[in-house]
Amino acid sequence: MTGKRKAKNLVGERFGRLVVIWRAENVSEPSGATRSAWMCKCDCGRAKTVDQHSLKRGLVKSCGCLARERPSTHGMSRTPVYRQWTTMKQRCLYHKDYAGRGIKVCDRWHDFAEFHRDMGTPSPGMTLDRIDNDGNYEPGNVRWASRLEQANNRRTNVTLTYKGVTLTLAGWGRSTGFGKDVISGRYTMGWPVEEILTRPPRKTQQTRKEP
């Protein structure tokens, strides 16, 4: 006879705004069955006991504060900021240039209220732009930008292949430790790929954005 399967330890895992902090007493159902439950801390600071089923299925995502904030976003489904949020998620789920490169939306921004709180409302004509085109959609790497600003940022989409590895200029800047400006400058000057990626920059060149 097989024993009852032990519940997976969820301590430290995040579900929406909730982070599991310890195992709580099982929750009883009207049928007499029981469910594993966990004590969680919400991003707002409150604590809440939630059964494992509701956590893993996404039925409970906060201590209740999320539902209280919903009226502030009610009626925004036709606004530019909501459309940009929806497009951002769809890109990372279905577009090969995003999903295929492992680009994701951070957990916080799966909630429109959190995204709107962080990014605010864009001026007319502004759209989402990732500062590092190899990076995720997350605070610190996303801004509202004009078409011109986005066009100027597209040079980081240029890729270089060396020894079977293909990265953008920004990606090679991080990988080599030379920095994006050094790699981009060398590429613009027409250097051979091997020299672009292997020739150590002089200290003065690093500070003056070589070459």
Side-chain angles (χ1 to χ4, degrees), residues 15 29 71 74 78 91 103 142 149 165 174 177 206 208:
F15 299 88
E29 297 181 347
H74 181 69
R78 295 186 179 182
R91 283 174 177 168
I103 295 171
V142 177
E149 289 172 322
V165 177
R174 289 194 303 273
Q206 286 182 304
R208 291 184 318 192

Side-chain angles (χ1 to χ4, degrees), residues 76-169:
M76 296 192 70
S77 61
R78 295 186 179 182
T79 61
V81 64
Y82 191 91
R83 288 196 294 270
Q84 289 287 324
W85 175 71
T86 300
T87 299
M88 170 187 71
K89 294 195 301 174
Q90 290 176 339
R91 283 174 177 168
C92 293
L93 284 173
Y94 306 115
H95 200 295
K96 65 180 182 180
D97 288 341
Y98 294 82
R101 291 162 54 203
I103 295 171
K104 301 176 181 179
V105 177
C106 69
D107 290 341
R108 176 180 174 84
W109 283 2
H110 282 279
D111 179 353
F112 172 71
E114 299 290 0
F115 171 78
H116 191 212
R117 180 181 291 108
D118 291 340
M119 294 300 298
T121 300
S123 301
M126 306 290 271
T127 57
L128 283 180
D129 180 44
R130 281 171 301 124
I131 298 169
D132 178 354
N133 285 288
D134 286 328
N136 293 326
Y137 284 96
E138 59 189 358
N141 192 45
V142 177
R143 61 179 179 173
W144 294 115
S146 65
R147 291 183 182 274
L148 177 60
E149 289 172 322
Q150 292 195 42
N152 289 336
N153 194 33
R154 284 192 188 122
R155 68 174 183 158
T156 57
N157 285 327
V158 174
T159 59
L160 297 176
T161 300
Y162 181 64
K163 292 187 176 181
V165 177
T166 301
L167 296 173
T168 63
L169 301 185

Side-chain angles (χ1 to χ4, degrees), residues 20 47 50 125 130 185 190 200:
V20 179
V50 186
R130 281 171 301 124

